[in-house]
Amino acid sequence: MGSSCSEFSTPWREMSWSERDGTLEKLRTFTSGNPDVGKLRILLNGPVGVGKSSFINSINNIFQGRSTTSALADGIGGKSFTKKYTTYFTDDPSMPGSTYSFAFTDVMGLEGDQGVCTSDIINAMKGHVKEGYEFNPRAPLSKDDSYWYNNSPSLEDQAHCLVTVVDANKIAIMSDETFRKLREIRLAASKLGKYWIPQVVVVTKVDELCPLVKEDLKRVYKCKLLKEKMDQFSAKVGIPVNCILPVKDYHNEIDLKKDMDELLLKALRQIVNYANDYVKSPSYRNQQSL
Ligand SMILES: Nc1nc2c(ncn2[C@@H]2O[C@H](COP(=O)(O)OP(=O)(O)OP(=O)(O)O)[C@@H](O)[C@H]2O)c(=O)[nH]1
Ligand SMILES: [Mg+2]
């Protein structure tokens, strides 16, 4: 890293850096393509402390036009700070009481023996986990727990896009165990009956990976190191690189920054499109539960 950071002469992915306002407007007025699904549910997962909650807060900041803290992020890594299955809606400031047509579900991080069990994430994906459930790393949610286990989830209870969040700086040192868990979750997403839940990867903390990117976020697609990390992650988990999107979350900024918003909204637009394709597909229209 540091001075050894090198760049491609031209960006390897096209990015106009002037789509924020247009994308924001489209997302503000967007409605789900399936009348049975009011809110597209985006399920976040990934290792502890990678910026899952910060990503939700960042998106909320953009839509509120100011700094917010709805999905509380933690300043100290280690154990997972988020412990409950919690769904976050984004308020529409132009219409008090109403929220936009996408919602994020935040779950506990999955690293090591202090992380959430993969079966809990898989159950969350299928819509079996009820709102407010507190994850227990030592014991996954049981089918017999009728208070917290939803036996007959509707399409709306299920995840419509699985978003795996990873820290750009940690990809090289992620344990085999974490990769195994991520792969298991990915395979489960592809094996839900004949249905395939779309998956997107959000790579956070790109500012910490490379000083040139930290200085100017527009250099993100020129950074060789980041491209290497994304390729590495893609190969290990089996997710195509075009489904992997780098961002810098809002964490210590007070004011909104346009380039950060461009990357965050590019990611959100792809996530919402995939989620909508999923609920719009004729195979799901009449399907009540998995
Ligand atoms: N530099 C930088 N720091 C970030 C970024 N995203 C998140 N952080 C910081 O990383 C730390 C962890 O962020 P969280 O959002 O709490 O992570 P999490 O994945 O929700 O963590 P758990 O709920 O504990 O699993 C916080 O100190 C954030 O401020 C980013 O893009 N860049
Ligand atoms: Mg969290």
Side-chain angles (χ1 to χ4, degrees):
M1 263 208 313
S3 54
S4 67
C5 235
S6 58
E7 290 190 318
F8 295 110
S9 53
T10 49
W12 59 274
R13 183 179 279 167
E14 243 175 71
M15 173 95 194
S16 83
W17 300 98
S18 58
E19 290 180 3
R20 177 183 68 174
D21 297 348
T23 305
L24 191 55
E25 201 38 48
K26 277 190 196 133
L27 286 165
R28 283 192 198 278
T29 52
F30 171 84
T31 52
S32 140
N34 182 331
D36 294 336
V37 179
K39 306 283 173 201
L40 296 174
R41 186 184 293 273
I42 301 159
L43 180 69
L44 297 188
N45 77 325
V48 171
V50 291
K52 297 179 291 299
S53 301
S54 302
F55 179 68
I56 300 176
N57 287 335
S58 300
I59 297 292
N60 196 41
N61 286 351
I62 301 177
F63 282 87
Q64 307 312 318
R66 62 181 175 84
S67 182
T68 65
T69 54
S70 63
L72 289 183
D74 185 22
I76 310 155
K79 282 189 203 167
S80 192
F81 184 71
T82 302
K83 293 195 167 57
K84 284 186 178 173
Y85 177 98
T86 313
T87 303
Y88 294 92
F89 299 93
T90 306
D91 289 333
D92 178 349
S94 73
M95 257 189 280
S98 95
T99 59
Y100 294 116
S101 22
F102 53 86
F104 292 99
T105 304
D106 196 9
V107 298
M108 194 177 182
L110 53 69
E111 227 158 12
D113 50 8
Q114 283 167 340
V116 64
C117 306
T118 40
S119 65
D120 280 346
I121 305 259
I122 294 166
N123 275 328
M125 221 153 57
K126 296 179 183 174
H128 289 303
V129 180
K130 290 192 195 162
E131 189 67 25
Y133 173 69
E134 184 151 346
F135 295 101
N136 177 354
R138 285 171 303 283
L141 175 60
S142 151
K143 270 190 166 123
D144 304 326
D145 184 342
S146 57
Y147 189 79
W148 291 113
Y149 189 91
N150 177 358
N151 248 314
S152 50
S154 67
L155 179 58
E156 200 168 38
D157 296 325
Q158 297 163 30
H160 309 126
C161 185
L162 177 66
V163 174
T164 302
V165 184
V166 286
D167 175 342
N169 307 275
K170 300 275 172 65
I171 292 175
I173 55 160
M174 267 165 62
S175 67
D176 289 346
E177 174 67 4
T178 304
F179 275 112
R180 194 193 55 72
K181 285 183 171 182
L182 288 174
R183 183 125 191 93
E184 191 182 327
I185 294 165
R186 169 148 180 88
L187 288 178
S190 64
K191 271 198 272 179
L192 289 180
K194 44 183 187 307
Y195 313 111
W196 162 266
I197 294 189
Q199 189 176 5
V200 169
V201 176
V202 168
V203 177
T204 58
K205 309 195 191 185
V206 294
D207 53 313
E208 286 181 351
L209 183 74
C210 168
L212 301 176
V213 175
K214 184 176 182 152
E215 200 183 285
D216 179 6
L217 208 52
K218 285 203 182 84
R219 297 168 94 145
V220 71
Y221 287 121
K222 283 189 166 184
C223 175
K224 286 189 177 170
L225 187 61
L226 179 63
K227 171 84 165 61
E228 255 168 50
K229 305 280 173 204
M230 289 168 61
D231 287 344
Q232 200 181 349
F233 189 83
S234 164
K236 276 205 148 174
V237 186
I239 295 174
V241 177
N242 64 0
C243 294
I244 307 184
L245 297 151
V247 300
K248 176 181 186 294
D249 288 322
Y250 281 98
H251 67 119
N252 56 14
E253 296 76 9
I254 295 163
D255 301 318
L256 299 195
K257 300 258 191 314
K258 183 170 178 301
D259 294 342
M260 286 173 64
D261 295 356
E262 292 281 355
L263 285 177
L264 288 158
L265 287 176
K266 193 175 180 76
L268 182 63
R269 190 176 61 188
Q270 186 157 340
I271 293 165
V272 166
N273 279 337
Y274 282 3
N276 199 38
D277 289 345
Y278 179 80
V279 300
K280 258 180 14 192
S281 156
S283 344
Y284 311 110
R285 280 186 173 272
N286 302 316
Q287 179 209 3
Q288 286 310 300
S289 66
L290 289 169

